[in-house]
PDB file of all heavy atoms in Angstrom:
ATOM      1  N   LYS A   1       0.850  -1.210  -0.008  1.00  0.00           N
ATOM      2  CA  LYS A   1       0.003   0.014  -0.010  1.00  0.00           C
ATOM      3  C   LYS A   1       0.873   1.265   0.004  1.00  0.00           C
ATOM      4  O   LYS A   1       0.553   2.238  -0.666  1.00  0.00           O
ATOM      5  CB  LYS A   1      -0.941  -0.031   1.199  1.00  0.00           C
ATOM      6  CG  LYS A   1      -2.100  -0.995   1.040  1.00  0.00           C
ATOM      7  CD  LYS A   1      -3.156  -0.814   2.134  1.00  0.00           C
ATOM      8  CE  LYS A   1      -4.311  -1.793   1.931  1.00  0.00           C
ATOM      9  NZ  LYS A   1      -5.088  -1.468   0.704  1.00  0.00           N
ATOM     10  N   TYR A   2       1.969   1.205   0.728  1.00  0.00           N
ATOM     11  CA  TYR A   2       2.892   2.371   0.771  1.00  0.00           C
ATOM     12  C   TYR A   2       3.417   2.632  -0.636  1.00  0.00           C
ATOM     13  O   TYR A   2       3.427   3.782  -1.092  1.00  0.00           O
ATOM     14  CB  TYR A   2       4.056   2.088   1.729  1.00  0.00           C
ATOM     15  CG  TYR A   2       4.997   3.261   1.862  1.00  0.00           C
ATOM     16  CD1 TYR A   2       4.669   4.290   2.750  1.00  0.00           C
ATOM     17  CD2 TYR A   2       6.154   3.377   1.126  1.00  0.00           C
ATOM     18  CE1 TYR A   2       5.519   5.394   2.890  1.00  0.00           C
ATOM     19  CE2 TYR A   2       7.004   4.426   1.265  1.00  0.00           C
ATOM     20  CZ  TYR A   2       6.687   5.460   2.132  1.00  0.00           C
ATOM     21  OH  TYR A   2       7.524   6.541   2.253  1.00  0.00           O
ATOM     22  N   ALA A   3       3.832   1.595  -1.346  1.00  0.00           N
ATOM     23  CA  ALA A   3       4.346   1.756  -2.689  1.00  0.00           C
ATOM     24  C   ALA A   3       3.271   2.319  -3.628  1.00  0.00           C
ATOM     25  O   ALA A   3       3.547   3.151  -4.513  1.00  0.00           O
ATOM     26  CB  ALA A   3       4.868   0.419  -3.204  1.00  0.00           C
ATOM     27  N   TYR A   4       2.043   1.857  -3.453  1.00  0.00           N
ATOM     28  CA  TYR A   4       0.932   2.346  -4.280  1.00  0.00           C
ATOM     29  C   TYR A   4       0.741   3.850  -4.125  1.00  0.00           C
ATOM     30  O   TYR A   4       0.655   4.573  -5.103  1.00  0.00           O
ATOM     31  CB  TYR A   4      -0.353   1.585  -3.949  1.00  0.00           C
ATOM     32  CG  TYR A   4      -1.580   2.160  -4.626  1.00  0.00           C
ATOM     33  CD1 TYR A   4      -1.848   1.858  -5.981  1.00  0.00           C
ATOM     34  CD2 TYR A   4      -2.448   3.019  -3.945  1.00  0.00           C
ATOM     35  CE1 TYR A   4      -2.976   2.418  -6.603  1.00  0.00           C
ATOM     36  CE2 TYR A   4      -3.556   3.565  -4.565  1.00  0.00           C
ATOM     37  CZ  TYR A   4      -3.816   3.244  -5.891  1.00  0.00           C
ATOM     38  OH  TYR A   4      -4.918   3.788  -6.505  1.00  0.00           O
ATOM     39  N   TYR A   5       0.665   4.285  -2.865  1.00  0.00           N
ATOM     40  CA  TYR A   5       0.414   5.714  -2.635  1.00  0.00           C
ATOM     41  C   TYR A   5       1.625   6.572  -2.964  1.00  0.00           C
ATOM     42  O   TYR A   5       1.492   7.745  -3.370  1.00  0.00           O
ATOM     43  CB  TYR A   5      -0.090   5.926  -1.216  1.00  0.00           C
ATOM     44  CG  TYR A   5      -1.527   5.482  -1.073  1.00  0.00           C
ATOM     45  CD1 TYR A   5      -1.852   4.300  -0.364  1.00  0.00           C
ATOM     46  CD2 TYR A   5      -2.558   6.141  -1.715  1.00  0.00           C
ATOM     47  CE1 TYR A   5      -3.159   3.877  -0.284  1.00  0.00           C
ATOM     48  CE2 TYR A   5      -3.862   5.710  -1.664  1.00  0.00           C
ATOM     49  CZ  TYR A   5      -4.172   4.591  -0.936  1.00  0.00           C
ATOM     50  OH  TYR A   5      -5.450   4.119  -0.876  1.00  0.00           O
ATOM     51  N   LEU A   6       2.826   5.999  -2.825  1.00  0.00           N
ATOM     52  CA  LEU A   6       4.014   6.695  -3.299  1.00  0.00           C
ATOM     53  C   LEU A   6       3.950   6.930  -4.808  1.00  0.00           C
ATOM     54  O   LEU A   6       4.229   8.034  -5.302  1.00  0.00           O
ATOM     55  CB  LEU A   6       5.258   5.872  -2.944  1.00  0.00           C
ATOM     56  CG  LEU A   6       6.604   6.398  -3.485  1.00  0.00           C
ATOM     57  CD1 LEU A   6       6.895   7.813  -2.998  1.00  0.00           C
ATOM     58  CD2 LEU A   6       7.736   5.457  -3.055  1.00  0.00           C
ATOM     59  N   ASP A   7       3.532   5.895  -5.529  1.00  0.00           N
ATOM     60  CA  ASP A   7       3.364   6.043  -6.989  1.00  0.00           C
ATOM     61  C   ASP A   7       2.332   7.116  -7.310  1.00  0.00           C
ATOM     62  O   ASP A   7       2.557   7.932  -8.238  1.00  0.00           O
ATOM     63  CB  ASP A   7       2.934   4.726  -7.611  1.00  0.00           C
ATOM     64  CG  ASP A   7       4.021   3.704  -7.672  1.00  0.00           C
ATOM     65  OD1 ASP A   7       5.218   4.037  -7.488  1.00  0.00           O
ATOM     66  OD2 ASP A   7       3.703   2.474  -7.893  1.00  0.00           O
ATOM     67  N   LYS A   8       1.238   7.167  -6.570  1.00  0.00           N
ATOM     68  CA  LYS A   8       0.163   8.138  -6.848  1.00  0.00           C
ATOM     69  C   LYS A   8       0.654   9.547  -6.515  1.00  0.00           C
ATOM     70  O   LYS A   8       0.280  10.513  -7.183  1.00  0.00           O
ATOM     71  CB  LYS A   8      -1.077   7.788  -6.046  1.00  0.00           C
ATOM     72  CG  LYS A   8      -1.757   6.497  -6.539  1.00  0.00           C
ATOM     73  CD  LYS A   8      -2.051   6.582  -8.032  1.00  0.00           C
ATOM     74  CE  LYS A   8      -2.535   5.309  -8.619  1.00  0.00           C
ATOM     75  NZ  LYS A   8      -2.733   5.391 -10.100  1.00  0.00           N
ATOM     76  N   LEU A   9       1.465   9.685  -5.466  1.00  0.00           N
ATOM     77  CA  LEU A   9       2.029  10.998  -5.134  1.00  0.00           C
ATOM     78  C   LEU A   9       2.938  11.481  -6.262  1.00  0.00           C
ATOM     79  O   LEU A   9       2.889  12.644  -6.673  1.00  0.00           O
ATOM     80  CB  LEU A   9       2.805  10.875  -3.809  1.00  0.00           C
ATOM     81  CG  LEU A   9       3.429  12.175  -3.309  1.00  0.00           C
ATOM     82  CD1 LEU A   9       2.947  12.469  -1.884  1.00  0.00           C
ATOM     83  CD2 LEU A   9       4.948  12.117  -3.322  1.00  0.00           C
ATOM     84  N   VAL A  10       3.767  10.575  -6.787  1.00  0.00           N
ATOM     85  CA  VAL A  10       4.673  10.955  -7.860  1.00  0.00           C
ATOM     86  C   VAL A  10       3.882  11.326  -9.118  1.00  0.00           C
ATOM     87  O   VAL A  10       4.249  12.281  -9.819  1.00  0.00           O
ATOM     88  CB  VAL A  10       5.649   9.812  -8.151  1.00  0.00           C
ATOM     89  CG1 VAL A  10       6.476  10.098  -9.421  1.00  0.00           C
ATOM     90  CG2 VAL A  10       6.575   9.578  -6.968  1.00  0.00           C
ATOM     91  N   ASP A  11       2.807  10.613  -9.365  1.00  0.00           N
ATOM     92  CA  ASP A  11       1.961  10.949 -10.546  1.00  0.00           C
ATOM     93  C   ASP A  11       1.416  12.383 -10.453  1.00  0.00           C
ATOM     94  O   ASP A  11       1.389  13.095 -11.470  1.00  0.00           O
ATOM     95  CB  ASP A  11       0.773   9.992 -10.647  1.00  0.00           C
ATOM     96  CG  ASP A  11       1.223   8.590 -11.079  1.00  0.00           C
ATOM     97  OD1 ASP A  11       2.281   8.431 -11.637  1.00  0.00           O
ATOM     98  OD2 ASP A  11       0.407   7.627 -10.850  1.00  0.00           O
ATOM     99  N   ILE A  12       1.018  12.780  -9.256  1.00  0.00           N
ATOM    100  CA  ILE A  12       0.496  14.144  -9.082  1.00  0.00           C
ATOM    101  C   ILE A  12       1.602  15.142  -9.286  1.00  0.00           C
ATOM    102  O   ILE A  12       1.438  16.184  -9.987  1.00  0.00           O
ATOM    103  CB  ILE A  12      -0.135  14.311  -7.685  1.00  0.00           C
ATOM    104  CG1 ILE A  12      -1.346  13.382  -7.527  1.00  0.00           C
ATOM    105  CG2 ILE A  12      -0.546  15.759  -7.464  1.00  0.00           C
ATOM    106  CD1 ILE A  12      -1.850  13.286  -6.090  1.00  0.00           C
ATOM    107  N   LEU A  13       2.777  14.896  -8.689  1.00  0.00           N
ATOM    108  CA  LEU A  13       3.908  15.819  -8.796  1.00  0.00           C
ATOM    109  C   LEU A  13       4.426  15.955 -10.228  1.00  0.00           C
ATOM    110  O   LEU A  13       4.918  17.031 -10.627  1.00  0.00           O
ATOM    111  CB  LEU A  13       5.040  15.331  -7.902  1.00  0.00           C
ATOM    112  CG  LEU A  13       4.799  15.403  -6.386  1.00  0.00           C
ATOM    113  CD1 LEU A  13       5.923  14.684  -5.626  1.00  0.00           C
ATOM    114  CD2 LEU A  13       4.678  16.855  -5.905  1.00  0.00           C
ATOM    115  N   ALA A  14       4.286  14.902 -10.989  1.00  0.00           N
ATOM    116  CA  ALA A  14       4.855  14.874 -12.370  1.00  0.00           C
ATOM    117  C   ALA A  14       4.036  15.675 -13.363  1.00  0.00           C
ATOM    118  O   ALA A  14       4.430  15.869 -14.522  1.00  0.00           O
ATOM    119  CB  ALA A  14       5.023  13.447 -12.840  1.00  0.00           C
ATOM    120  N   GLN A  15       2.874  16.181 -12.931  1.00  0.00           N
ATOM    121  CA  GLN A  15       2.006  16.932 -13.842  1.00  0.00           C
ATOM    122  C   GLN A  15       2.605  18.275 -14.209  1.00  0.00           C
ATOM    123  O   GLN A  15       3.409  18.833 -13.458  1.00  0.00           O
ATOM    124  CB  GLN A  15       0.639  17.155 -13.185  1.00  0.00           C
ATOM    125  CG  GLN A  15      -0.163  15.907 -12.891  1.00  0.00           C
ATOM    126  CD  GLN A  15      -1.476  16.292 -12.199  1.00  0.00           C
ATOM    127  OE1 GLN A  15      -2.531  16.251 -12.809  1.00  0.00           O
ATOM    128  NE2 GLN A  15      -1.379  16.651 -10.946  1.00  0.00           N
ATOM    129  N   PRO A  16       2.158  18.858 -15.333  1.00  0.00           N
ATOM    130  CA  PRO A  16       2.491  20.244 -15.635  1.00  0.00           C
ATOM    131  C   PRO A  16       2.002  21.155 -14.509  1.00  0.00           C
ATOM    132  O   PRO A  16       0.978  20.837 -13.869  1.00  0.00           O
ATOM    133  CB  PRO A  16       1.746  20.527 -16.954  1.00  0.00           C
ATOM    134  CG  PRO A  16       1.513  19.186 -17.551  1.00  0.00           C
ATOM    135  CD  PRO A  16       1.346  18.232 -16.426  1.00  0.00           C
ATOM    136  N   ALA A  17       2.680  22.244 -14.266  1.00  0.00           N
ATOM    137  CA  ALA A  17       2.315  23.121 -13.135  1.00  0.00           C
ATOM    138  C   ALA A  17       0.877  23.586 -13.185  1.00  0.00           C
ATOM    139  O   ALA A  17       0.217  23.689 -12.146  1.00  0.00           O
ATOM    140  CB  ALA A  17       3.289  24.292 -13.093  1.00  0.00           C
ATOM    141  N   LYS A  18       0.371  23.845 -14.367  1.00  0.00           N
ATOM    142  CA  LYS A  18      -1.012  24.338 -14.502  1.00  0.00           C
ATOM    143  C   LYS A  18      -2.017  23.311 -13.989  1.00  0.00           C
ATOM    144  O   LYS A  18      -3.106  23.682 -13.532  1.00  0.00           O
ATOM    145  CB  LYS A  18      -1.332  24.743 -15.922  1.00  0.00           C
ATOM    146  CG  LYS A  18      -1.361  23.558 -16.913  1.00  0.00           C
ATOM    147  CD  LYS A  18      -1.755  24.036 -18.298  1.00  0.00           C
ATOM    148  CE  LYS A  18      -1.863  22.857 -19.281  1.00  0.00           C
ATOM    149  NZ  LYS A  18      -2.240  23.302 -20.630  1.00  0.00           N
ATOM    150  N   GLU A  19      -1.670  22.039 -14.001  1.00  0.00           N
ATOM    151  CA  GLU A  19      -2.581  20.984 -13.532  1.00  0.00           C
ATOM    152  C   GLU A  19      -2.669  20.951 -12.051  1.00  0.00           C
ATOM    153  O   GLU A  19      -3.583  20.320 -11.480  1.00  0.00           O
ATOM    154  CB  GLU A  19      -2.145  19.600 -14.078  1.00  0.00           C
ATOM    155  CG  GLU A  19      -2.210  19.495 -15.583  1.00  0.00           C
ATOM    156  CD  GLU A  19      -3.574  19.676 -16.174  1.00  0.00           C
ATOM    157  OE1 GLU A  19      -4.560  19.319 -15.471  1.00  0.00           O
ATOM    158  OE2 GLU A  19      -3.721  20.225 -17.283  1.00  0.00           O
ATOM    159  N   TYR A  20      -1.728  21.584 -11.333  1.00  0.00           N
ATOM    160  CA  TYR A  20      -1.810  21.681  -9.906  1.00  0.00           C
ATOM    161  C   TYR A  20      -2.991  22.538  -9.457  1.00  0.00           C
ATOM    162  O   TYR A  20      -3.521  22.427  -8.372  1.00  0.00           O
ATOM    163  CB  TYR A  20      -0.531  22.311  -9.299  1.00  0.00           C
ATOM    164  CG  TYR A  20       0.710  21.445  -9.361  1.00  0.00           C
ATOM    165  CD1 TYR A  20       1.931  21.977  -8.935  1.00  0.00           C
ATOM    166  CD2 TYR A  20       0.712  20.141  -9.841  1.00  0.00           C
ATOM    167  CE1 TYR A  20       3.098  21.263  -8.965  1.00  0.00           C
ATOM    168  CE2 TYR A  20       1.887  19.392  -9.899  1.00  0.00           C
ATOM    169  CZ  TYR A  20       3.074  19.948  -9.447  1.00  0.00           C
ATOM    170  OH  TYR A  20       4.244  19.234  -9.496  1.00  0.00           O
ATOM    171  N   ASN A  21      -3.366  23.481 -10.338  1.00  0.00           N
ATOM    172  CA  ASN A  21      -4.465  24.407 -10.084  1.00  0.00           C
ATOM    173  C   ASN A  21      -4.212  25.227  -8.838  1.00  0.00           C
ATOM    174  O   ASN A  21      -5.082  25.375  -7.967  1.00  0.00           O
ATOM    175  CB  ASN A  21      -5.799  23.638  -9.975  1.00  0.00           C
ATOM    176  CG  ASN A  21      -6.996  24.556 -10.123  1.00  0.00           C
ATOM    177  OD1 ASN A  21      -6.928  25.607 -10.701  1.00  0.00           O
ATOM    178  ND2 ASN A  21      -8.152  24.146  -9.542  1.00  0.00           N
ATOM    179  N   LEU A  22      -3.033  25.759  -8.702  1.00  0.00           N
ATOM    180  CA  LEU A  22      -2.622  26.602  -7.558  1.00  0.00           C
ATOM    181  C   LEU A  22      -2.230  27.975  -8.065  1.00  0.00           C
ATOM    182  O   LEU A  22      -1.751  28.115  -9.184  1.00  0.00           O
ATOM    183  CB  LEU A  22      -1.443  25.965  -6.804  1.00  0.00           C
ATOM    184  CG  LEU A  22      -1.684  24.543  -6.270  1.00  0.00           C
ATOM    185  CD1 LEU A  22      -0.414  23.966  -5.747  1.00  0.00           C
ATOM    186  CD2 LEU A  22      -2.743  24.584  -5.153  1.00  0.00           C
ATOM    187  N   SER A  23      -2.365  28.982  -7.223  1.00  0.00           N
ATOM    188  CA  SER A  23      -2.032  30.342  -7.654  1.00  0.00           C
ATOM    189  C   SER A  23      -1.300  31.149  -6.573  1.00  0.00           C
ATOM    190  O   SER A  23      -1.103  32.339  -6.719  1.00  0.00           O
ATOM    191  CB  SER A  23      -3.304  31.101  -8.057  1.00  0.00           C
ATOM    192  OG  SER A  23      -4.225  31.152  -6.960  1.00  0.00           O
ATOM    193  N   SER A  24      -0.909  30.481  -5.535  1.00  0.00           N
ATOM    194  CA  SER A  24      -0.333  31.176  -4.374  1.00  0.00           C
ATOM    195  C   SER A  24       0.936  30.464  -3.917  1.00  0.00           C
ATOM    196  O   SER A  24       1.104  29.278  -4.151  1.00  0.00           O
ATOM    197  CB  SER A  24      -1.370  31.236  -3.221  1.00  0.00           C
ATOM    198  OG  SER A  24      -0.772  31.602  -1.996  1.00  0.00           O
ATOM    199  N   PRO A  25       1.825  31.178  -3.217  1.00  0.00           N
ATOM    200  CA  PRO A  25       3.026  30.504  -2.729  1.00  0.00           C
ATOM    201  C   PRO A  25       2.863  29.861  -1.336  1.00  0.00           C
ATOM    202  O   PRO A  25       3.772  29.192  -0.886  1.00  0.00           O
ATOM    203  CB  PRO A  25       4.055  31.666  -2.624  1.00  0.00           C
ATOM    204  CG  PRO A  25       3.203  32.851  -2.248  1.00  0.00           C
ATOM    205  CD  PRO A  25       1.898  32.651  -3.006  1.00  0.00           C
TER     206      PRO A  25
END
């Protein structure tokens, strides 16, 4: 399970910045 959620965390981080949908520091 740890490996699965680590993979999912990396998938989110690997997105283009615009896909984060953030606008603040």
Side-chain angles (χ1 to χ4, degrees):
K1 286 190 178 292
Y2 184 83
Y4 171 79
Y5 286 109
L6 174 59
D7 287 345
K8 292 305 172 185
L9 181 125
V10 172
D11 288 341
I12 297 169
L13 292 170
Q15 296 179 106
K18 66 178 183 179
E19 297 298 328
Y20 290 176
N21 196 25
L22 301 171
S23 59
S24 166

